[in-house]
Amino acid sequence: VHCASPLPLGTIVEVGDLGFYEVQDRTANWIAEKYGDKVIDIYFENHEDALKFGKKTASVKKMVEVM
């Protein structure tokens, strides 16, 4: 996932009932400035799958933080 929050790269998060993801990148600055630091962007292999998934609101729980 891309994450605008200050979570370190490599941190494992649980996103609602969608599953577990690793923070691998940062969200673009303009997105973080517009929406704040509570944005997680889940990577999809193609644009069609991303469009089908759409925009969702979910709780996020930090599972393992890499030092």
Side-chain angles (χ1 to χ4, degrees):
V1 297
H2 295 222
C3 186
S5 78
L7 291 173
L9 297 178
T11 299
I12 303 298
V13 293
E14 181 179 15
V15 181
D17 61 355
L18 301 174
F20 296 90
Y21 296 89
E22 178 182 348
V23 176
Q24 296 181 340
D25 202 356
R26 294 284 175 234
T27 301
N29 287 336
W30 71 268
I31 293 174
E33 289 169 7
K34 184 172 182 178
Y35 299 107
D37 65 355
K38 296 182 179 181
V39 174
I40 288 190
D41 183 16
I42 298 175
Y43 173 80
F44 287 88
E45 290 290 329
N46 61 64
H47 189 69
E48 284 182 10
D49 287 346
L51 287 175
K52 277 193 257 181
F53 182 80
K55 180 179 174 182
K56 301 193 183 316
T57 300
S59 61
V60 176
K61 186 187 326 181
K62 179 173 58 174
M63 303 305 290
V64 177
E65 184 174 324
V66 177
M67 300 293 168

